[in-house]
Amino acid sequence: MNHLAHALLAGPDPQLRLGGLMGDFVRGAIDPALHPGIRDGIALHRAIDSYTDSHAHIVRARALFDPPYRRYAGILIDIWFDHLLARDYDRWSDTPLEAFSDDLLALLRNHDAELPQGLRQFSRYLHARRLPAAYARRDMIGEVLMGVGSRLKRANPLAEGLLEISRLEPELQDTFDAFFPQLADFAKQWLDGRLPTAPE
């Protein structure tokens, strides 16, 4: 899943949410010096990614993509699912998308000094483009895919990825509708059962 989904599924706790955003920028063992809530947020991010990657709905959805897009189907699905989440955000949250997005940007801004370098740079990108709220715009998804494609080391078709997504749009919508409630339930169960990783 992508940034909006990870932030929403982390729940209202700001430290968990911050850890959820850090998850893509932290490799290996989680630093024990981090706030326990941030550590749990990173662990939840990893659990969500593992659950998503192995879920039958997602495995089938990746197989729908034709070459050369299939190799990048995970990226395309993650980003498109954030679009579907943002576009119909009131289905999933009582907080308006713009308010949620503004709170998320403020959280990143207020903790700038604690962010991994990669997330600090990415935070500037989010602020400049009013993300994640702007994920609701289809044209923004095209821009995001171009940006991701330009950062990968090898040549890739992500800049044209929206064309392939458009071909599969009904199937991807059905997959999202079936999968996301299950993912939200998984995240809630993970949070309800989590143990502190260190004394508060």
Side-chain angles (χ1 to χ4, degrees):
M1 300 303 292
N2 206 41
H3 313 291
L4 177 59
H6 277 295
L8 175 64
L9 294 172
D13 182 277
Q15 300 295 333
L16 278 167
R17 193 169 284 173
L18 192 60
L21 292 169
M22 284 185 183
D24 281 332
F25 301 91
V26 176
R27 299 286 178 262
I30 300 171
D31 185 352
L34 290 171
H35 185 284
I38 292 177
R39 298 204 306 269
D40 282 340
I42 295 169
L44 174 58
H45 180 116
R46 293 177 177 181
I48 286 170
D49 281 353
S50 294
Y51 178 87
T52 299
D53 290 345
S54 62
H55 197 285
H57 285 315
I58 303 303
V59 172
R60 285 194 295 269
R62 288 198 300 264
L64 295 172
F65 286 79
D66 285 339
Y69 298 101
R70 187 171 298 167
R71 179 183 188 129
Y72 302 93
I75 295 172
L76 292 164
I77 289 170
D78 281 354
I79 293 172
W80 186 247
F81 277 12
D82 252 16
H83 168 68
L84 298 180
L85 177 59
R87 190 191 65 192
D88 300 317
Y89 194 72
D90 58 355
R91 288 179 58 192
W92 310 103
S93 175
D94 294 331
T95 303
L97 176 60
E98 289 287 346
F100 183 86
S101 184
D102 287 346
D103 286 349
L104 208 58
L105 294 176
L107 179 67
L108 289 169
R109 187 166 55 247
N110 292 338
H111 291 270
D112 185 76
E114 305 164 48
L115 302 181
Q117 181 59 30
L119 180 54
R120 188 176 298 123
Q121 293 172 347
F122 187 65
S123 176
R124 311 289 187 265
Y125 175 89
L126 295 177
H127 278 83
R129 287 160 179 79
R130 300 288 299 160
L131 294 168
Y135 281 133
R137 291 176 19 223
R138 190 184 188 94
D139 64 301
M140 178 55 69
I141 299 305
E143 181 179 333
V144 168
L145 289 172
M146 287 180 64
V148 173
S150 71
R151 291 192 293 274
L152 296 182
K153 292 181 179 178
R154 68 171 67 208
N156 63 81
L158 288 177
E160 295 80 39
L162 202 51
L163 293 173
E164 180 71 353
I165 287 171
S166 297
R167 183 180 72 81
L168 301 172
E169 202 161 339
E171 293 92 337
L172 292 175
Q173 181 70 62
D174 289 345
T175 299
F176 179 83
D177 290 340
F179 169 70
F180 195 76
Q182 295 180 43
L183 179 62
D185 186 58
F186 168 81
K188 183 179 185 305
Q189 289 184 46
W190 192 98
L191 287 168
D192 288 346
R194 70 186 174 93
L195 297 174
T197 54
E200 294 288 344

